[in-house]
Amino acid sequence: MNETINTILRRRSVRCFRPDPAGQSELEAILDAGRYAPSAMNQQPWHFTVIRNPELLRKLEENCKTAFLESSVEALREIARQEGFCVFYHAPLMVIISGDPGAIAAQYDCTLAMENMMLAATSLGLGSCWTHAVMMFQATEKGKAIFRELGVVFPEGYQPYAAAVFGWPAEPYPETPLKKTDCITFLD
Amino acid sequence: MNETINTILRRRSVRCFRPDPAGQSELEAILDAGRYAPSAMNQQPWHFTVIRNPELLRKLEENCKTAFLESSVEALREIARQEGFCVFYHAPLMVIISGDPGAIAAQYDCTLAMENMMLAATSLGLGSCWTHAVMMFQATEKGKAIFRELGVVFPEGYQPYAAAVFGWPAEPYPETPLKKTDCITFLD
């Protein structure tokens, strides 16, 4: 086993953050990791929007949470109804990766980039959590309007394909949940 | 900089492989890396199909290449028309991650898993290349029929969301292509 594989295996979704943001050097390393992801035909059809403004994060969170509250998935509605639930987990930093829907594989490319970023964060001691509510909310007309209203705009024609929050974990890493093992077929 | 970030930055799409496959221990480490990816609500809605049968790989390749030849993207058609072009790059191993379309975010989950696998491979000295032709081909009726005919079947209702080839690089890693730098916005 090596350090990279160790990082991959110990990465966890962190849902409890310290209020102080990551330093600029950590943030730049995380963004570099994203920019070095593979992309179809090396199109790099992505843009990284880094949100650190606490007031903006708060307003965005309030709105994105409605995507969970109005989801067709009961488990998501249930989580969102819990008292004090914050769909951004009070993290001091969010990155949204938007992509060009006209590219060969924008959703794939942006997702690959975000996994690089979450692993880079883990390797630096930072926590991260994929934030699906951003894409769910932005997929609605109301969501698009609120994003514009809040000034969270993307390059012309781009749409958000990946979002995650980042920050220093406020607690020790949670235990790794059970991972399925009966999910592999060999065709030899 | 640490070893994980170094791995992320030096990962390249490898397109020239030695014929000898990765060992079982390397393969298992790569699959573990995939299984430890994040997934929405920890659903792990994935299945890993590992293809090492050379004859099966050859037949699958011949068919998947038609997805490039018939693509609406001229750049893909042009590549596929090149003499001797092999869309699997003669790699001795392919992994297809199929997912449950009824899960919250199957395409995302499977993609995150594949990035983990490509990074784990890199950390072990192995090369990898995302193989979009598999998803392109399987999205067609002809493709679905050929997959079934060849015995490349997935769990009931699952569909392929990510595919990549793996193997020992036959040449030194290619140079990293230029990466965009003007793709970041800070909202502070």
Side-chain angles (χ1 to χ4, degrees):
Chain A
M1 202 64 69
N2 59 48
E3 193 46 39
T4 301
I5 293 177
N6 276 335
T7 303
I8 289 171
L9 298 185
R10 73 189 163 79
R11 182 214 54 79
R12 292 302 325 286
S13 294
V14 168
R15 297 185 171 89
C16 189
F17 296 96
R18 283 167 29 194
D20 49 316
Q24 191 66 24
S25 66
E26 283 96 352
L27 178 56
E28 282 171 13
I30 291 170
L31 290 165
D32 282 349
R35 292 192 305 109
Y36 274 71
S39 64
M41 300 289 287
N42 194 33
Q43 288 186 323
Q44 305 173 60
W46 46 47
H47 191 87
F48 302 79
T49 300
V50 182
I51 309 176
R52 291 186 287 198
N53 181 311
E55 184 59 15
L56 178 55
L57 278 172
R58 194 188 59 72
K59 285 183 187 161
L60 202 58
E61 192 277 331
E62 267 176 16
N63 280 286
C64 287
K65 194 162 69 175
T66 62
F68 269 32
L69 286 167
E70 294 166 9
S71 164
S72 61
V73 180
E74 165 57 20
L76 296 181
R77 290 199 304 275
E78 192 181 318
I79 289 173
R81 282 194 302 259
Q82 287 168 7
E83 199 182 319
F85 174 74
C86 172
V87 76
F88 293 178
Y89 305 107
H90 305 290
L93 169 71
M94 159 168 282
V95 179
I96 301 176
I97 310 180
S98 56
D100 177 359
I104 296 172
Q107 179 175 338
Y108 283 119
D109 299 338
C110 295
T111 308
L112 296 165
M114 190 58 92
E115 182 64 358
N116 275 10
M117 292 173 65
M118 296 195 290
L119 292 172
T122 305
S123 77
L124 296 165
L126 285 152
S128 65
C129 192
W130 180 275
T131 313
H132 204 55
V134 169
M135 279 72 72
M136 289 172 68
F137 186 58
Q138 217 272 344
T140 65
E141 283 313 308
K142 182 181 156 200
K144 285 185 185 63
I146 298 270
F147 270 76
R148 273 195 302 274
E149 196 177 298
L150 294 176
V152 183
V153 291
F154 308 105
E156 182 67 25
Y158 276 39
Q159 65 180 70
Y161 284 111
V165 290
F166 297 87
W168 301 110
E171 297 171 349
Y173 261 34
E175 267 185 60
T176 300
L178 276 180
K179 296 290 183 181
K180 289 181 191 171
T181 52
D182 59 341
C183 57
I184 302 173
T185 300
F186 292 90
L187 300 178
D188 285 321
Chain B
M1 203 62 70
N2 59 49
E3 192 48 38
T4 301
I5 293 177
N6 277 334
T7 302
I8 289 171
L9 298 185
R10 70 189 165 77
R11 182 214 55 79
R12 294 300 327 287
S13 293
V14 168
R15 298 185 171 87
C16 189
F17 295 96
R18 285 167 26 195
D20 49 318
Q24 191 66 22
S25 66
E26 283 97 351
L27 178 55
E28 282 171 14
I30 291 170
L31 291 165
D32 282 348
R35 291 191 306 110
Y36 275 71
S39 64
M41 301 288 290
N42 194 33
Q43 288 187 322
Q44 306 174 58
W46 45 47
H47 191 88
F48 302 79
T49 300
V50 181
I51 309 176
R52 291 187 287 199
N53 181 311
E55 184 60 14
L56 177 55
L57 278 172
R58 193 188 60 70
K59 285 183 187 162
L60 201 59
E61 192 277 331
E62 266 177 16
N63 281 288
C64 287
K65 194 161 71 173
T66 62
F68 268 32
L69 286 166
E70 294 166 9
S71 164
S72 61
V73 180
E74 165 57 21
L76 295 182
R77 290 199 303 275
E78 191 180 319
I79 289 174
R81 283 194 302 258
Q82 286 168 9
E83 199 182 320
F85 173 75
C86 171
V87 77
F88 293 177
Y89 304 108
H90 305 289
L93 169 72
M94 158 167 283
V95 179
I96 301 176
I97 310 181
S98 57
D100 176 1
I104 297 172
Q107 181 177 337
Y108 283 120
D109 299 338
C110 295
T111 308
L112 296 165
M114 189 59 93
E115 182 64 357
N116 275 11
M117 292 172 64
M118 295 195 290
L119 293 172
T122 305
S123 78
L124 295 165
L126 285 151
S128 66
C129 194
W130 180 275
T131 313
H132 205 55
V134 169
M135 278 73 73
M136 291 172 67
F137 186 57
Q138 216 272 344
T140 65
E141 284 312 308
K142 183 179 155 199
K144 285 185 187 62
I146 299 271
F147 269 76
R148 274 195 302 271
E149 195 178 301
L150 293 177
V152 182
V153 290
F154 309 104
E156 182 67 25
Y158 276 39
Q159 66 180 70
Y161 285 112
V165 290
F166 296 87
W168 301 111
E171 296 173 350
Y173 261 34
E175 267 184 60
T176 300
L178 276 181
K179 296 290 181 179
K180 289 181 190 170
T181 53
D182 59 342
C183 56
I184 302 173
T185 300
F186 291 91
L187 300 179
D188 285 321

